[in-house]
PDB file of all heavy atoms in Angstrom:
ATOM      1  N   ALA A 444     -29.501  21.097  43.477  1.00  0.00           N
ATOM      2  CA  ALA A 444     -30.473  21.599  44.440  1.00  0.00           C
ATOM      3  C   ALA A 444     -31.560  22.446  43.788  1.00  0.00           C
ATOM      4  O   ALA A 444     -32.701  22.463  44.252  1.00  0.00           O
ATOM      5  CB  ALA A 444     -29.761  22.422  45.514  1.00  0.00           C
ATOM      6  N   ALA A 445     -31.215  23.142  42.704  1.00  0.00           N
ATOM      7  CA  ALA A 445     -32.151  24.098  42.103  1.00  0.00           C
ATOM      8  C   ALA A 445     -33.004  23.502  40.993  1.00  0.00           C
ATOM      9  O   ALA A 445     -33.923  24.168  40.510  1.00  0.00           O
ATOM     10  CB  ALA A 445     -31.374  25.297  41.557  1.00  0.00           C
ATOM     11  N   THR A 446     -32.726  22.288  40.563  1.00  0.00           N
ATOM     12  CA  THR A 446     -33.485  21.673  39.479  1.00  0.00           C
ATOM     13  C   THR A 446     -34.125  20.381  39.940  1.00  0.00           C
ATOM     14  O   THR A 446     -33.820  19.868  41.016  1.00  0.00           O
ATOM     15  CB  THR A 446     -32.575  21.404  38.263  1.00  0.00           C
ATOM     16  OG1 THR A 446     -31.486  20.543  38.661  1.00  0.00           O
ATOM     17  CG2 THR A 446     -31.995  22.712  37.712  1.00  0.00           C
ATOM     18  N   ARG A 447     -35.026  19.860  39.122  1.00  0.00           N
ATOM     19  CA  ARG A 447     -35.747  18.647  39.472  1.00  0.00           C
ATOM     20  C   ARG A 447     -35.634  17.538  38.419  1.00  0.00           C
ATOM     21  O   ARG A 447     -36.279  16.519  38.536  1.00  0.00           O
ATOM     22  CB  ARG A 447     -37.236  18.971  39.697  1.00  0.00           C
ATOM     23  CG  ARG A 447     -37.497  19.751  40.982  1.00  0.00           C
ATOM     24  CD  ARG A 447     -37.189  18.894  42.188  1.00  0.00           C
ATOM     25  NE  ARG A 447     -37.371  19.612  43.453  1.00  0.00           N
ATOM     26  CZ  ARG A 447     -36.415  20.248  44.091  1.00  0.00           C
ATOM     27  NH1 ARG A 447     -35.187  20.282  43.567  1.00  0.00           N
ATOM     28  NH2 ARG A 447     -36.651  20.868  45.222  1.00  0.00           N
ATOM     29  N   SER A 448     -34.837  17.749  37.400  1.00  0.00           N
ATOM     30  CA  SER A 448     -34.681  16.723  36.368  1.00  0.00           C
ATOM     31  C   SER A 448     -34.038  15.476  36.952  1.00  0.00           C
ATOM     32  O   SER A 448     -33.149  15.557  37.819  1.00  0.00           O
ATOM     33  CB  SER A 448     -33.821  17.260  35.225  1.00  0.00           C
ATOM     34  OG  SER A 448     -33.451  16.226  34.335  1.00  0.00           O
ATOM     35  N   ARG A 449     -34.437  14.328  36.486  1.00  0.00           N
ATOM     36  CA  ARG A 449     -33.818  13.092  36.969  1.00  0.00           C
ATOM     37  C   ARG A 449     -32.380  12.959  36.482  1.00  0.00           C
ATOM     38  O   ARG A 449     -31.635  12.105  36.966  1.00  0.00           O
ATOM     39  CB  ARG A 449     -34.637  11.894  36.517  1.00  0.00           C
ATOM     40  CG  ARG A 449     -34.720  11.713  35.008  1.00  0.00           C
ATOM     41  CD  ARG A 449     -35.526  10.480  34.673  1.00  0.00           C
ATOM     42  NE  ARG A 449     -35.639  10.288  33.226  1.00  0.00           N
ATOM     43  CZ  ARG A 449     -36.263   9.234  32.665  1.00  0.00           C
ATOM     44  NH1 ARG A 449     -36.800   8.318  33.434  1.00  0.00           N
ATOM     45  NH2 ARG A 449     -36.325   9.136  31.366  1.00  0.00           N
ATOM     46  N   TRP A 450     -31.994  13.777  35.501  1.00  0.00           N
ATOM     47  CA  TRP A 450     -30.622  13.757  34.978  1.00  0.00           C
ATOM     48  C   TRP A 450     -29.721  14.758  35.697  1.00  0.00           C
ATOM     49  O   TRP A 450     -28.550  14.898  35.348  1.00  0.00           O
ATOM     50  CB  TRP A 450     -30.625  14.084  33.479  1.00  0.00           C
ATOM     51  CG  TRP A 450     -31.451  13.155  32.671  1.00  0.00           C
ATOM     52  CD1 TRP A 450     -32.683  13.391  32.145  1.00  0.00           C
ATOM     53  CD2 TRP A 450     -31.107  11.814  32.280  1.00  0.00           C
ATOM     54  NE1 TRP A 450     -33.144  12.302  31.456  1.00  0.00           N
ATOM     55  CE2 TRP A 450     -32.198  11.313  31.523  1.00  0.00           C
ATOM     56  CE3 TRP A 450     -30.002  10.995  32.496  1.00  0.00           C
ATOM     57  CZ2 TRP A 450     -32.195  10.034  30.988  1.00  0.00           C
ATOM     58  CZ3 TRP A 450     -29.996   9.719  31.967  1.00  0.00           C
ATOM     59  CH2 TRP A 450     -31.076   9.247  31.227  1.00  0.00           C
ATOM     60  N   ARG A 451     -30.251  15.461  36.682  1.00  0.00           N
ATOM     61  CA  ARG A 451     -29.481  16.537  37.301  1.00  0.00           C
ATOM     62  C   ARG A 451     -28.225  16.039  38.008  1.00  0.00           C
ATOM     63  O   ARG A 451     -27.274  16.805  38.178  1.00  0.00           O
ATOM     64  CB  ARG A 451     -30.350  17.311  38.290  1.00  0.00           C
ATOM     65  CG  ARG A 451     -30.791  16.541  39.528  1.00  0.00           C
ATOM     66  CD  ARG A 451     -31.790  17.373  40.338  1.00  0.00           C
ATOM     67  NE  ARG A 451     -32.157  16.750  41.591  1.00  0.00           N
ATOM     68  CZ  ARG A 451     -33.066  15.805  41.732  1.00  0.00           C
ATOM     69  NH1 ARG A 451     -33.711  15.353  40.662  1.00  0.00           N
ATOM     70  NH2 ARG A 451     -33.344  15.303  42.922  1.00  0.00           N
ATOM     71  N   TRP A 452     -28.187  14.769  38.411  1.00  0.00           N
ATOM     72  CA  TRP A 452     -27.009  14.240  39.095  1.00  0.00           C
ATOM     73  C   TRP A 452     -25.801  14.141  38.165  1.00  0.00           C
ATOM     74  O   TRP A 452     -24.665  14.007  38.624  1.00  0.00           O
ATOM     75  CB  TRP A 452     -27.321  12.876  39.706  1.00  0.00           C
ATOM     76  CG  TRP A 452     -28.369  12.969  40.770  1.00  0.00           C
ATOM     77  CD1 TRP A 452     -29.707  12.697  40.637  1.00  0.00           C
ATOM     78  CD2 TRP A 452     -28.190  13.417  42.122  1.00  0.00           C
ATOM     79  NE1 TRP A 452     -30.363  12.930  41.827  1.00  0.00           N
ATOM     80  CE2 TRP A 452     -29.460  13.372  42.750  1.00  0.00           C
ATOM     81  CE3 TRP A 452     -27.077  13.841  42.855  1.00  0.00           C
ATOM     82  CZ2 TRP A 452     -29.638  13.737  44.083  1.00  0.00           C
ATOM     83  CZ3 TRP A 452     -27.257  14.212  44.187  1.00  0.00           C
ATOM     84  CH2 TRP A 452     -28.519  14.158  44.780  1.00  0.00           C
ATOM     85  N   LEU A 453     -26.054  14.235  36.865  1.00  0.00           N
ATOM     86  CA  LEU A 453     -24.929  14.212  35.921  1.00  0.00           C
ATOM     87  C   LEU A 453     -24.050  15.458  36.054  1.00  0.00           C
ATOM     88  O   LEU A 453     -22.929  15.473  35.551  1.00  0.00           O
ATOM     89  CB  LEU A 453     -25.446  14.088  34.487  1.00  0.00           C
ATOM     90  CG  LEU A 453     -26.088  12.743  34.119  1.00  0.00           C
ATOM     91  CD1 LEU A 453     -26.632  12.777  32.694  1.00  0.00           C
ATOM     92  CD2 LEU A 453     -25.085  11.600  34.284  1.00  0.00           C
ATOM     93  N   TRP A 454     -24.569  16.488  36.724  1.00  0.00           N
ATOM     94  CA  TRP A 454     -23.743  17.680  36.944  1.00  0.00           C
ATOM     95  C   TRP A 454     -22.517  17.360  37.773  1.00  0.00           C
ATOM     96  O   TRP A 454     -21.524  18.113  37.751  1.00  0.00           O
ATOM     97  CB  TRP A 454     -24.556  18.781  37.621  1.00  0.00           C
ATOM     98  CG  TRP A 454     -25.539  19.439  36.714  1.00  0.00           C
ATOM     99  CD1 TRP A 454     -26.913  19.358  36.775  1.00  0.00           C
ATOM    100  CD2 TRP A 454     -25.234  20.270  35.578  1.00  0.00           C
ATOM    101  NE1 TRP A 454     -27.478  20.082  35.754  1.00  0.00           N
ATOM    102  CE2 TRP A 454     -26.470  20.663  35.003  1.00  0.00           C
ATOM    103  CE3 TRP A 454     -24.051  20.732  35.006  1.00  0.00           C
ATOM    104  CZ2 TRP A 454     -26.536  21.490  33.889  1.00  0.00           C
ATOM    105  CZ3 TRP A 454     -24.114  21.539  33.892  1.00  0.00           C
ATOM    106  CH2 TRP A 454     -25.353  21.915  33.343  1.00  0.00           C
TER     107      TRP A 454
END
Side-chain angles (χ1 to χ4, degrees):
T446 58
R447 288 293 178 267
S448 169
R449 63 179 179 177
W450 302 104
R451 67 187 185 278
W452 296 99
L453 291 177
W454 287 111

